[in-house]
Amino acid sequence: MSFGFENVKPIHARGTDAAEVIEVIRTKAMRGAGIEEDPVREVTQYWTFDGKLIGEEDSFTYSAKRK
């Protein structure tokens, strides 16, 4: 049995673009001293309902780790 897909190249997925099941507390706060080594920026933190920090988005530390 042929479905007509014999000459179709396979598609290779590049990874996940988005996934979301969120039941956490998300906080946003400003952080930084306002100097080049520690600029002022917004930091997003994710917490469980019992107060455990489970993740953080900080653009400065992220960019510093990538250098």
Side-chain angles (χ1 to χ4, degrees):
M1 178 183 285
S2 174
F3 293 101
F5 297 111
E6 294 81 16
N7 296 321
V8 176
K9 292 183 180 180
I11 298 172
H12 298 284
R14 62 187 177 129
T16 303
D17 289 331
E20 191 167 330
V21 174
I22 301 283
E23 284 236 3
V24 298
I25 299 168
R26 179 175 57 198
T27 62
K28 293 187 177 208
M30 300 305 288
R31 179 184 291 170
I35 58 175
E36 186 176 345
E37 298 81 22
D38 188 19
V40 174
R41 72 264 184 203
E42 184 178 71
V43 175
T44 304
Q45 293 181 325
Y46 298 88
W47 302 80
T48 64
F49 290 117
D50 60 347
K52 294 178 189 167
L53 178 64
I54 56 174
E56 180 175 274
E57 295 175 21
D58 182 334
S59 60
F60 179 70
T61 57
Y62 176 76
S63 64
K65 288 178 185 175
R66 293 184 54 113
K67 289 183 180 177

